[in-house]
């Protein structure tokens, strides 16, 4: 029906017909169905067993990371697996559930049907039969292929693996109580930087030592075909990946400025609260932009020329001391309500002004090359 015919039909309704319509309140007045939380609360007790996580990040053509995970079973019955949702450093529910695809859960080679929680969409429930000691989960992380889909983490030269996007964890336990060993397969000839330390390398697969799940999520990887490490002193290392080999060349005076920045910040903190620290710096205009803090590392992206044309890259400079300060103000120490035992509990950000405000004060005042 055309618009004009519809308008004519409406006008044909008499005033009496309008009066005869039931009052709006009589139409429908539904009551809300109560929302029930079926995710078990996290307890501060050891998880019975060690998770194994294998991530294959070689598919640069389709930008897909393949995940295989073995998760020990605490007991038969319902098991809830979660994808991290509330992410430290993001200060909000920024998990990438929309990029998880093809989830299959099996036990002893038999497929276990899973059900996504209708309230908490980051949760998957499975019924584990008696006699099963572990389940295997396989899924794909469909990483963005353009900025309009999210942050690009796979380019022809660089891969940025953030473990919270490529692993599930069992609900009901503090994440620091869940042991995990992870391995990462990269394109041939690539090297990787991370706060994790490898125990072995086989072909292009790197095996990392056992950590707890909280440490794993706090230890992302920058890997690339163009790769260089520079010692910054105080147990700190600059790990650089880049779009091209020439971007890796750091002039001696630029190196000296970064070494001095590390020295000066340790004096500010009054503590060296890490065993080692890795600045992961991607000099790229292809990788999605980032400046994200961790206890023993940071993910930073800078524009091409950051080392080779240092005089003209003022804006990138404060990110290094900012993120390094977060290792102390944000990780080593954190406002109590911002700390959560897992990645399901909401963070309360009232004291974000301390977490970010004080950090940016030191970020601005100690940027390398200022003094
Ligand atoms: Zn910050």
């Amino acid at each position: 029906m055309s618009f004009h015919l519809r308008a004519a039909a409406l006008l044909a309704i008499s005033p009496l017909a309008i009066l005869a319509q039931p009052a709006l309140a009589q139409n429908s007045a539904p009551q809300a169905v109560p929302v029930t939380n079926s995710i078990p609360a996290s307890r501060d007790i050891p998880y019975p067993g060690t998770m194994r996580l294998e991530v294959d990040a070689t598919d640069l053509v389709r930008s897909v990371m393949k995940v295989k995970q073995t998760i020990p079973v605490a007991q038969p019955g319902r098991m809830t697996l979660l994808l991290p949702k509330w992410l430290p450093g993001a200060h909000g529910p920024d998990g990438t559930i929309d990029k998880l695809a093809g989830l299959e859960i099996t036990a002893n080679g038999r497929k276990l049907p899973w059900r996504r929680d209708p309230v908490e969409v980051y949760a998957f429930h499975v019924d584990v039969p008696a006699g099963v000691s572990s389940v295997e989960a396989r899924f794909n992380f469909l990483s963005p292929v353009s900025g309009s889909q999210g942050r690009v983490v796979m380019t022809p030269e660089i891969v940025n693996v953030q473990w919270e996007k490529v692993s599930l964890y069992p609900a009901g336990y503090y994440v620091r109580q869940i042991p995990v060993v992870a391995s990462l397969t990269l394109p041939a000839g690539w090297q990787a930087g991370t706060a994790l330390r490898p125990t072995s390398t086989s072909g292009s697969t790197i095996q990392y030592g056992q950590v707890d799940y909280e440490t794993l999520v706090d230890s992302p990887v920058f890997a690339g075909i163009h790769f260089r490490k520079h010692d910054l002193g105080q147990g700190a290392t600059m790990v650089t990946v880049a779009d091209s080999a020439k971007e890796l060349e750091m002039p001696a005076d630029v190196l000296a400025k970064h070494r001095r920045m590390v020295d000066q910040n340790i004096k500010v903190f009054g503590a060296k609260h890490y065993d080692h620290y890795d600045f992961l710096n991607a000099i790229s205009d292809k990788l999605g932009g980032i400046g994200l803090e961790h206890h023993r590392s940071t993910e930073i992206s800078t524009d091409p020329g950051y080392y080779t044309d240092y005089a003209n890259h003022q804006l990138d400079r404060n990110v290094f001391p900012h993120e390094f300060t977060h290792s102390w103000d944000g990780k080593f120490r954190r406002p109590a309500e911002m700390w959560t035992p897992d990645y399901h509990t909401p963070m309360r950000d009232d004291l974000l002004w301390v977490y970010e405000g004080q950090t940016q004060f030191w970020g601005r005042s100690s940027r390398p090359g200022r003094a």
Side-chain angles (χ1 to χ4, degrees):
M1 195 190 287
S2 78
F3 170 77
H4 295 291
L5 280 176
R6 267 204 314 274
L10 281 173
L11 287 171
I13 298 171
S14 75
L16 274 179
I18 292 170
L19 283 175
Q21 296 296 311
L24 276 180
Q26 292 173 327
N27 274 353
S28 175
Q31 295 296 304
V33 176
V35 169
T36 50
N37 175 13
S38 57
I39 314 299
S42 293
R43 294 166 298 161
D44 191 11
I45 57 171
Y47 191 74
T50 301
M51 296 201 296
R52 292 192 172 277
L53 172 65
E54 297 167 39
V55 176
D56 182 324
T58 58
D59 188 351
L60 301 179
V61 175
R62 298 188 307 154
S63 297
V64 171
M65 296 190 202
K66 293 187 205 66
V67 179
K68 180 181 159 196
Q69 203 175 345
T70 308
I71 306 162
V73 168
Q75 74 252 328
R78 197 182 79 167
M79 182 181 197
T80 301
L81 299 174
L82 298 162
L83 184 77
K85 174 184 180 183
W86 286 79
L87 304 181
H91 314 308
D94 272 9
T96 50
I97 191 70
D98 56 320
K99 310 284 190 299
L100 185 155
L103 177 63
E104 273 194 9
I105 300 175
T106 56
N108 297 337
R110 241 185 58 209
K111 212 164 163 175
L112 294 183
W114 51 263
R115 193 172 69 87
R116 190 169 174 179
D117 191 273
V119 174
E120 178 44 83
V121 298
Y122 283 71
F124 302 93
H125 304 295
V126 287
D127 282 316
V128 178
V132 165
S133 58
S134 66
V135 299
E136 191 176 289
R138 289 173 187 262
F139 65 92
N140 291 332
F141 168 53
L142 310 182
S143 85
V145 294
S146 80
S148 64
Q149 300 167 358
R151 194 178 145 258
V152 170
V153 295
M154 300 181 88
T155 79
E157 297 86 16
I158 299 171
V159 164
N160 176 195
V161 178
Q162 297 175 309
W163 301 103
E164 70 271 16
K165 294 174 169 57
V166 289
S167 60
L168 304 171
Y169 69 100
Y173 296 81
Y174 277 31
V175 287
R176 68 177 178 216
Q177 294 275 16
I178 305 171
V180 56
V181 290
S183 70
L184 175 62
T185 304
L186 295 167
W190 285 36
Q191 296 180 74
T194 166
L196 300 175
R197 291 296 180 253
T199 53
S200 63
T201 302
S202 165
S204 50
T205 298
I206 305 164
Q207 181 69 55
Y208 294 106
Q210 181 177 313
V211 289
D212 58 71
Y213 189 64
E214 181 179 34
T215 302
L216 182 81
V217 166
D218 198 41
S219 307
V221 180
F222 271 21
I225 184 70
H226 308 299
F227 183 95
R228 185 85 43 97
K229 284 184 179 179
H230 293 91
D231 180 15
L232 296 183
Q234 301 279 10
T237 305
M238 181 75 87
V239 178
T240 309
V241 290
D243 290 348
S244 66
K246 71 174 168 45
E247 294 292 344
L248 303 174
E249 302 300 332
M250 199 192 308
D253 64 314
V254 176
L255 178 60
K257 287 181 171 75
H258 286 79
R259 289 179 67 96
R260 186 170 154 76
M261 177 271 291
V262 169
D263 256 344
Q264 293 296 310
N265 274 291
I266 293 289
K267 291 189 169 101
V268 169
F269 305 157
K272 203 165 105 184
H273 47 273
Y274 53 79
D275 49 358
H276 50 78
Y277 188 92
D278 293 276
F279 289 90
L280 308 178
N281 181 22
I283 305 181
S284 174
D285 53 17
K286 298 180 191 171
L287 193 77
I290 192 167
L292 186 58
E293 65 273 22
H294 304 287
H295 190 115
R296 300 189 299 169
S297 65
T298 172
E299 296 162 277
I300 293 174
S301 60
T302 49
D303 291 332
Y306 180 68
Y307 297 152
T308 54
D309 184 23
Y310 193 68
N312 291 312
H313 288 265
Q314 294 280 348
L315 279 179
D316 284 333
R317 295 183 188 182
N318 81 88
V319 186
F320 292 84
H322 177 105
E323 305 303 347
F324 192 41
T325 301
H326 266 320
S327 170
W328 168 63
D329 175 15
K331 296 295 178 177
F332 180 56
R333 295 289 184 263
R334 192 180 313 176
E337 293 186 337
M338 289 182 72
W339 183 88
T340 57
D342 50 48
Y343 308 116
H344 172 64
T345 305
M347 294 163 190
R348 289 155 289 175
D349 291 336
D350 283 8
L351 285 175
L352 199 55
W353 65 273
V354 177
Y355 185 115
E356 290 295 351
Q358 182 184 200
T359 296
Q360 185 56 355
F361 171 80
W362 293 114
R364 296 295 301 170
S365 54
S366 60
R367 57 196 187 274
R370 178 177 180 271

